[in-house]
Amino acid sequence: MEHQIVQDASIAEVPVAGPTITARDVNVFYGEKQALFDVSVDINRNSVTSFIGPSGCGKSTFLRCINRMNDTIPICRVTGDIRLDGENIYDTDLDVVELRARVGMVFQKPNPFPKSIYENVAYGPRIHGLTRSKKELDELVESCLEKAGLLKEVHDRLDEPGTGLSGGQQQRLCIARAIATRPEVILMDEPCSALDPIATAKVEELMDELKANYTIIIVTHSMQQAARVSQRTAFFHLGKLVEVGDTRQIFTNPRNKRTQDYITGRFG
Amino acid sequence: MKYSAIVLAVLVVAAIAFVVAIARARAAQQGGSVKMHSRIGYYGWYAAIWTLLPALFLVFVWVVVEPIGLSRLIRAELPDNFHTLNAAQRSLIVGQIETISEGLSLLDPAGLDTLKKARLGFKPMSEAQQVLKDQGIVLGSAPEGYAVTAAVKLRDAREWSRMILAGLVGLVVLAGFAYSISSIRPRLRARNFVERVTLGGLIAASLVAILTTLGIVLSVLFETIHFFKLVSLSNFFLGTVWDPRFSAAGSGGAEGQFGLLPLLWGTLFISFVALAVAVPVGLFAAIYMSEYASQRVRNFAKPALEVLAGIPTIVYGFFALITFGPMLRDLGAMVGLNIAATSVLSAGIVMGVMIIPFVSSLSDDIISAVPQSLREGSYGLGATQSETIKRVIVPAALPGIVGAILLAASRAIGETMIVVLAAGIAANLTLNPFEPVTTITVKIVSQLTGDLEFDSPQTLVAFALGLTLFIITLALNVYALYIVRKYREQYE
Ligand SMILES: Nc1ncnc2c1ncn2[C@@H]1O[C@H](COP(=O)(O)OP(=O)(O)OP(=O)(O)O)[C@@H](O)[C@H]1O
Ligand SMILES: [Mg+2]
């Protein structure tokens, strides 16, 4: 089994590029309760980074720090320093709206808007004025649905509500919606947890394709997936970043005992 | 014997049945070695219900049937010249008989003797009246001899009836008690029985509500039909003049004009102005409260807004009449507009203020119920807060908001007090918001107050108006519910 993983991981070539996101000493508190402790990590440009770790260890929390989605939770407080291309995203001067346009997100639970499938995907491009004509928008919507592997299933019912799709279809709709905004970074919180193996393979393919132009972070509970799609892997445990490194190294030669236990399935 | 004494006795026996049944069930359990079908308490309720319900039902039947029987009896007793009297006089005498028969139990032997002598003609009737008055029983005039006789009969009959009832109730209670206690054994499905009775009670409660509504609607409907026998449909629905004329009691049905249109127009016009005030203000307040306001502001502002809904409408009425109307008139005069002190505008605006909390409070709840994940989804795509509200939250909440607005509208349409005071009572078919108008509700009030004959069209028109109003608000509410239902599942 482990051997298999190593082979999969070796398929993905590791592109060498400078970090696009650098986090230093990030602490997150929900009220009195601390959820993250001194997390410091670099995320490479144009590559896929996966976050793994047992449930409740703070993966989503850290992901949500990167586009400041935690701002919407009144009791949540973030300290430390996170930079996107050298710019402190918690700077008071920074415009969060602009940040979130650059850092797109796919949520753990699918959350399509109660609008038509078309309108769901067209939402971002409309707000940001990305297209000049109706025709251009139509093309954009179609290509995003195609990339998310959903077009075939919905091409004849783009006017129907997105909430009427199945859970897995909804999740792919959310992926299409996120990439339609053309962000630089895409945060994906367990995007495949509701998908069947075929749809999962499509999404993984998509990530592979996207990483040429985008920086991708994916939270996953599947070791195989982390090994297949990511170049770097970060292991979280109990709110701390235990280990981060090349995916191949993490899965073949973890430095930390806890990482080893987790990836070999001894706890979690 | 009073009904209350009987019911009390039944309750006592039921309580005993409860206790006994529990003891029996405990015994049947044999210290836990036998598995009972239901928990012990259910056996208690089982016995209590069996003891209580049939007896109460019997008492209920008596309460309904006894007065009918007694009044038959009394009428048969009365001499022929009673039956030649007119309805009002007859009911007066029947009332007198009732009063005397209740007073009989208070009299001492001497008093009873006086009454007897007066009845037989040995003493004047006025003396009998005096004797009763000394016991606090006041009669309008000296009673006829036959009335006193009938009163005595009535009392006797009633006592008999109550004795019979007490006997029957006693039998039913004992039978229920014996049956339920003797049937207690481990396999008895006491829980299922109690559940069924509970369900029956709940159904009965709903039936009361539904039947009351039905009764009200039907009685209004019958009076309305009565009205339309006197006045043509076209006079009412198509008439543009409201001039019912006065008909003092007894003057006969002077033909008036009962045009609904000016009243309907006044109602809709004022409601429209009210909604024009309440919808934007209420909706924006709701958006601010649910999306922008901090918890501290919200905790203070929401109850403060809801206080508006607690102000009695009559208070809004004088505010409009004394302060706001004149102020509006003076303001109008300053810019050269001729605004009457009572006008559509002043009533509409004040009514709008009154219904702001209906719009804002309901919309606030509805907007807050939009899932947070939708907001995050929108923010995650780089939408601003106002874009998110405009494009995601309000559309998602729209059906509920429309429902809230329609409910507020039906509130406005049914409102009376503000209109009486602030818009006047002149039925006016006008497009000018600065002139006085009046509404359906106001005219209902004015047609039913004063000394009027009850079956003249002038009075009956109130029922036709009431039914019209009821149908309008019902249609609004049904439509509101339909919209809310249709879209409810959208984000589930
Ligand atoms: N909105 C919140 N309010 C309070 N505590 C929270 C909130 N969100 C998360 N937490 C807490 O923060 C900790 C980390 O949660 P987080 O959602 O980041 O876990 P996770 O690693 O994503 O888990 P999973 O794999 O189950 O999604 C948990 O202990 C959780 O209880
Ligand atoms: Mg999570």
Side-chain angles (χ1 to χ4, degrees):
Chain A
M1 184 68 201
E2 213 167 304
H3 193 65
Q4 180 72 40
I5 293 169
V6 174
Q7 277 195 339
D8 280 353
S10 63
I11 295 167
E13 268 312 306
V14 181
V16 185
T20 178
I21 300 168
T22 53
R24 292 292 172 266
D25 299 325
V26 175
N27 288 285
V28 179
F29 304 83
Y30 289 110
E32 291 297 299
K33 184 171 167 278
Q34 188 162 4
L36 281 184
F37 300 82
D38 293 324
V39 173
S40 299
V41 66
D42 291 342
I43 308 290
N44 285 344
R45 190 186 310 278
N46 298 351
S47 75
V48 180
T49 305
S50 58
F51 290 174
I52 59 172
S55 187
C57 65
K59 306 179 297 291
S60 299
T61 301
F62 185 63
L63 204 65
R64 290 163 58 93
C65 289
I66 299 171
N67 67 348
R68 287 183 57 176
M69 196 49 80
N70 284 329
D71 291 12
T72 62
I73 301 174
I75 57 164
C76 185
R77 196 160 52 84
V78 180
T79 67
D81 182 281
I82 301 178
R83 285 170 190 276
L84 174 62
D85 289 336
E87 200 182 348
N88 181 359
I89 65 168
Y90 280 88
D91 198 273
T92 41
D93 275 352
L94 181 121
D95 182 1
V96 257
V97 170
E98 202 183 316
L99 170 73
R100 289 178 188 149
R102 291 172 63 194
V103 183
M105 184 160 201
V106 177
F107 293 81
Q108 189 163 352
K109 268 188 282 173
N111 57 350
F113 301 132
K115 297 172 178 291
S116 70
I117 294 171
Y118 181 94
E119 286 300 324
N120 262 284
V121 182
Y123 187 85
R126 282 233 166 93
I127 293 181
H128 300 295
L130 297 184
T131 52
R132 246 166 272 117
S133 66
K134 173 86 175 89
K135 188 162 161 290
E136 222 176 302
L137 186 60
D138 288 350
E139 281 166 9
L140 179 61
V141 168
E142 288 214 353
S143 78
C144 291
L145 285 170
E146 170 66 44
K147 282 184 194 153
L150 189 61
L151 188 61
K152 244 201 273 149
E153 286 151 74
V154 302
H155 67 93
D156 52 351
R157 48 173 177 152
L158 291 178
D159 294 331
E160 285 174 26
T163 40
L165 297 173
S166 77
Q169 289 172 327
Q170 288 187 6
Q171 190 61 295
R172 278 178 282 157
L173 179 61
C174 293
I175 293 173
R177 184 175 76 180
I179 58 181
T181 313
R182 298 193 186 134
E184 298 161 29
V185 179
I186 304 178
L187 311 174
M188 294 184 169
D189 199 343
E190 296 182 35
C192 300
S193 59
L195 302 191
D196 62 71
I198 297 171
T200 303
K202 280 223 182 92
V203 172
E204 288 178 4
E205 208 176 291
L206 171 68
M207 279 187 265
D208 236 30
E209 208 175 289
L210 290 176
K211 76 168 190 281
N213 304 309
Y214 302 85
T215 304
I216 297 173
I217 305 177
I218 170 176
V219 171
T220 176
H221 281 291
S222 155
M223 303 303 138
Q224 288 88 335
Q225 183 170 53
R228 280 195 299 267
V229 299
S230 68
Q231 286 73 56
R232 277 165 63 80
T233 297
F235 171 61
F236 288 78
H237 186 223
L238 296 177
K240 298 201 174 79
L241 179 67
V242 176
E243 188 169 351
V244 56
D246 283 353
T247 298
R248 193 196 314 217
Q249 174 254 310
I250 293 279
F251 281 95
T252 53
N253 187 20
R255 289 191 196 93
N256 192 295
K257 174 88 170 51
R258 278 189 285 170
T259 316
Q260 169 139 33
D261 287 349
Y262 184 70
I263 59 173
T264 53
R266 240 165 270 154
F267 79 90
Chain B
M1 203 177 297
K2 291 245 166 63
Y3 285 125
S4 51
I6 296 176
V7 171
L8 201 68
V10 172
L11 284 175
V12 170
V13 181
I16 295 171
F18 183 82
V19 176
V20 173
I22 285 185
R24 287 271 308 212
R26 282 248 163 73
Q29 209 178 13
Q30 293 169 6
S33 60
V34 176
K35 168 110 181 62
M36 304 291 280
H37 172 271
S38 314
R39 278 170 44 216
I40 298 294
Y42 282 112
Y43 294 93
W45 287 114
Y46 174 82
I49 290 168
W50 265 114
T51 315
L52 194 63
L53 269 194
L56 285 189
F57 181 71
L58 192 62
V59 172
F60 176 73
V61 170
W62 223 259
V63 169
V64 174
V65 172
E66 190 198 68
I68 302 173
L70 289 181
S71 90
R72 284 260 170 89
L73 196 80
I74 296 308
R75 271 158 202 272
E77 234 7 81
L78 295 173
D80 287 341
N81 61 351
F82 169 82
H83 296 283
T84 58
L85 298 172
N86 71 28
Q89 287 164 319
R90 280 206 306 259
S91 83
L92 215 61
I93 291 180
V94 170
Q96 209 176 40
I97 294 173
E98 273 291 330
T99 317
I100 299 173
S101 87
E102 271 158 37
L104 286 174
S105 60
L106 300 173
L107 293 181
D108 50 13
L112 284 175
D113 190 54
T114 315
L115 220 59
K116 193 172 168 193
K117 287 194 175 127
R119 167 157 63 97
L120 298 174
F122 298 119
K123 283 193 175 177
M125 270 336 257
S126 58
E127 230 172 275
Q129 188 185 3
Q130 186 56 42
V131 171
L132 285 166
K133 196 173 165 202
D134 290 343
Q135 299 301 326
I137 297 142
V138 183
L139 298 176
S141 59
E144 299 287 338
Y146 65 77
V148 178
T149 315
V152 174
K153 278 255 158 69
L154 176 62
R155 186 207 42 193
D156 293 346
R158 182 171 284 141
E159 302 234 304
W160 267 107
S161 141
R162 295 297 159 85
M163 302 259 262
I164 295 170
L165 173 64
L168 286 178
V169 165
L171 279 179
V172 170
V173 164
L174 287 184
F177 186 95
Y179 169 73
S180 57
I181 296 295
S182 67
S183 59
I184 287 177
R185 61 194 110 71
R187 304 300 315 277
L188 177 70
R189 302 190 166 189
R191 168 167 46 79
N192 306 22
F193 176 81
V194 173
E195 288 293 314
R196 270 203 306 278
V197 172
T198 312
L199 176 65
L202 298 178
I203 291 177
S206 336
L207 274 184
V208 168
I210 293 170
L211 290 181
T212 313
T213 313
L214 200 69
I216 292 174
V217 172
L218 283 183
S219 85
V220 172
L221 186 67
F222 287 136
E223 299 296 346
T224 305
I225 291 171
H226 195 162
F227 170 73
F228 283 120
K229 283 190 188 131
L230 301 170
V231 173
S232 69
L233 281 169
S234 62
N235 183 341
F236 182 71
F237 284 111
L238 302 177
T240 55
V241 178
W242 175 263
D243 181 17
R245 310 263 171 82
F246 283 108
S247 82
S251 73
E255 187 65 18
Q257 287 188 285
F258 298 96
L260 169 70
L261 291 180
L263 307 186
L264 187 62
W265 170 247
T267 303
L268 296 181
F269 200 1
I270 292 181
S271 303
F272 176 78
V273 174
L275 287 178
V277 172
V279 170
V281 176
L283 196 55
F284 292 156
I287 290 175
Y288 171 71
M289 294 278 200
S290 59
E291 295 295 313
Y292 291 92
S294 70
Q295 195 57 40
R296 274 191 26 235
V297 173
R298 207 175 135 83
N299 285 347
F300 162 78
K302 206 172 171 196
L305 243 179
E306 276 159 11
V307 165
L308 279 182
I311 298 176
T313 57
I314 186 84
V315 174
Y316 282 107
F318 24 96
F319 171 69
L321 179 71
I322 302 199
T323 314
F324 188 68
M327 192 185 88
L328 213 58
R329 182 192 54 202
D330 296 346
L331 274 180
M334 270 193 308
V335 294
L337 284 175
N338 190 8
I339 305 179
T342 57
S343 66
V344 173
L345 204 59
S346 99
I349 291 175
V350 172
M351 196 192 280
V353 172
M354 177 195 90
I355 59 176
I356 285 173
F358 290 88
V359 178
S360 74
S361 190
L362 276 173
S363 308
D364 179 5
D365 293 344
I366 288 157
I367 290 173
S368 303
V370 173
Q372 183 65 16
S373 64
L374 288 186
R375 292 187 184 88
E376 293 189 345
S378 174
Y379 295 148
L381 295 169
T384 64
Q385 193 163 10
S386 73
E387 281 165 344
T388 303
I389 290 167
K390 219 165 43 209
R391 289 165 180 262
V392 176
I393 296 177
V394 169
L398 196 59
I401 291 173
V402 171
I405 291 171
L406 291 181
L407 286 182
S410 64
R411 226 357 250 253
I413 288 173
E415 175 49 40
T416 316
M417 275 311 163
I418 294 179
V419 189
V420 180
L421 293 176
I425 53 165
N428 216 344
L429 196 55
T430 175
L431 271 174
N432 183 348
F434 305 143
E435 280 180 28
V437 297
T438 198
T439 63
I440 296 178
T441 49
V442 170
K443 281 302 166 198
I444 292 178
V445 173
S446 63
Q447 290 311 107
L448 288 180
T449 42
D451 181 17
L452 291 159
E453 214 176 328
F454 204 68
D455 46 8
S456 69
Q458 280 76 5
T459 318
L460 288 173
V461 71
F463 292 96
L465 292 175
L467 193 66
T468 313
L469 197 62
F470 174 73
I471 290 172
I472 294 174
T473 46
L474 183 73
L476 270 182
N477 284 339
V478 169
Y479 188 58
L481 277 182
Y482 163 77
I483 291 188
V484 172
R485 290 245 173 85
K486 184 165 170 201
Y487 296 96
R488 178 181 296 154
E489 281 152 25
Q490 257 196 349
Y491 47 74
E492 279 175 358

